[in-house]
């Protein structure tokens, strides 16, 4: 009897499935990121991925699931880039915060397809509204944990739920400001965007916890 552990050409079946799923997501990135979610079709997706439609149905139930997983993949990339930048910048909180913000801005600014998906298409998709809110809360948690590591968990806890409110508020502001910058309606340089955002994050944190963090 066949099992899911068998391999072809030395590649296990689960690994081949993962590769096909990744190829479909890469194809969705190209289609949604250049033409929008409304242009995504099963046949078009499979043509772009160079896979037959049976492999689409092997991985996904519908196109909404494709979009949701693609959104999560991009968000995960941003989260990993932010955390890595923060943790690997061996200096003060200002430099670490700036590195984290720059990592997020760079990742979406350097690939217009990802920028369109997370800043435009995701907002037009009702099914992703809840997921977007969850992502904001998750990133807010990362921010608060980073702040706690710098000034002490007791300091952050003393602020109460105002810390999460401020984090979500700042992230929403960064999201919308970056949208405007990408759209060309905020005529400042990438460096200015990152520097000014860093100042806003640290000034707000300083005000909340009563510890000067901004330069």
């Amino acid at each position: 009897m066949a099992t899911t552990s068998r391999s072809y050409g030395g590649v296990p079946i689960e690994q081949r499935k993962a590769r096909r799923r990744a190829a479909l997501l890469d194809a969705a990135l190209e289609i949604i990121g250049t033409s929008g979610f409304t242009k995504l079709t099963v046949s078009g997706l499979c043509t772009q991925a160079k896979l037959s439609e049976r492999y689409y149905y092997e991985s996904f139930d519908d196109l909404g699931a494709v979009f949701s997983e693609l959104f999560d993949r991009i968000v995960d990339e941003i989260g990993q880039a932010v955390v890595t930048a923060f943790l690997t910048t061996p200096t003060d909180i200002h430099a670490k915060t700036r590195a984290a913000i720059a990592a997020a801005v760079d990742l979406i600014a350097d690939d217009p397809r990802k920028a369109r998906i997370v800043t435009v298409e995701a907002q037009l998709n009702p099914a992703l509204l809840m997921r977007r809110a969850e992502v904001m809360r998750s990133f807010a948690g990362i921010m608060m944990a980073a702040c706690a590591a710098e000034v002490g968990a007791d300091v952050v806890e003393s602020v109460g739920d105002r810390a999460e409110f401020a984090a979500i508020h700042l992230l929403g502001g960064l999201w919308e400001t970056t949208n405007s910058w990408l759209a060309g309606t905020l005529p400042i340089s990438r460096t200015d965007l990152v520097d000014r955002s860093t100042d806003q994050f640290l000034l707000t944190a300083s005000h909340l916890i009563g510890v000067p963090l901004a330069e």
Side-chain angles (χ1 to χ4, degrees):
M1 183 174 66
T3 67
T4 57
S5 62
R6 70 179 185 273
S7 64
Y8 293 93
V11 181
I13 189 171
E14 291 305 321
Q15 188 174 338
R16 294 200 314 280
K17 281 184 176 181
R19 288 178 179 176
R20 290 193 290 265
R21 192 182 191 93
L24 288 165
L25 290 174
D26 289 341
L29 171 63
E30 179 63 22
I31 295 170
I32 302 174
T34 57
S35 302
F37 178 66
T38 58
K39 299 299 183 182
L40 185 68
T41 64
V42 173
S43 61
L45 180 66
C46 293
T47 297
Q48 180 70 34
K50 296 182 173 59
L51 293 171
S52 67
E53 291 190 15
R54 73 186 180 94
Y55 290 128
Y56 163 79
Y57 292 107
E58 167 189 78
S59 296
F60 299 102
D61 293 327
D62 54 52
L63 293 173
V66 176
F67 190 12
S68 179
E69 186 162 332
L70 176 60
F71 177 79
D72 282 349
R73 189 174 79 167
I74 296 172
V75 166
D76 285 344
E77 284 183 51
I78 295 172
Q80 290 174 22
V82 166
V83 171
T84 298
F86 189 90
L87 294 178
T88 59
T89 302
T91 111
D92 59 43
I93 186 64
H94 184 277
K96 292 168 82 70
T97 301
R98 189 188 187 286
I101 292 173
V105 170
D106 289 349
L107 193 146
I108 33 183
D110 290 342
D111 189 335
R113 300 171 305 171
K114 293 176 182 177
R116 176 171 179 167
I117 287 167
V118 299
T119 65
V120 178
E121 295 296 325
Q123 296 187 69
L124 297 175
N125 190 302
L128 283 180
L129 290 178
M130 183 67 71
R131 179 64 186 128
R132 189 166 174 258
E134 292 171 355
V135 167
M136 283 292 189
R137 291 182 71 90
S138 176
F139 278 7
I142 293 173
M143 283 179 58
M144 290 188 290
C147 187
E150 292 295 320
V151 302
D154 56 331
V155 175
V156 175
E157 289 171 3
S158 70
V159 177
D161 61 6
R162 290 186 300 153
E164 183 181 47
F165 174 86
I168 293 174
H169 193 73
L170 286 166
L171 287 167
L174 177 61
W175 189 290
E176 295 304 328
T177 302
T178 303
N179 285 353
S180 298
W181 175 71
L182 288 168
T185 57
L186 182 61
I188 61 175
S189 68
R190 186 183 301 200
T191 298
D192 281 344
L193 173 64
V194 173
D195 286 343
R196 295 180 191 185
S197 298
T198 300
D199 289 343
Q200 289 299 317
F201 273 59
L202 293 178
L203 284 169
T204 300
S206 297
H207 173 74
L208 278 176
I209 65 179
V211 177
L213 298 175
E215 289 185 338

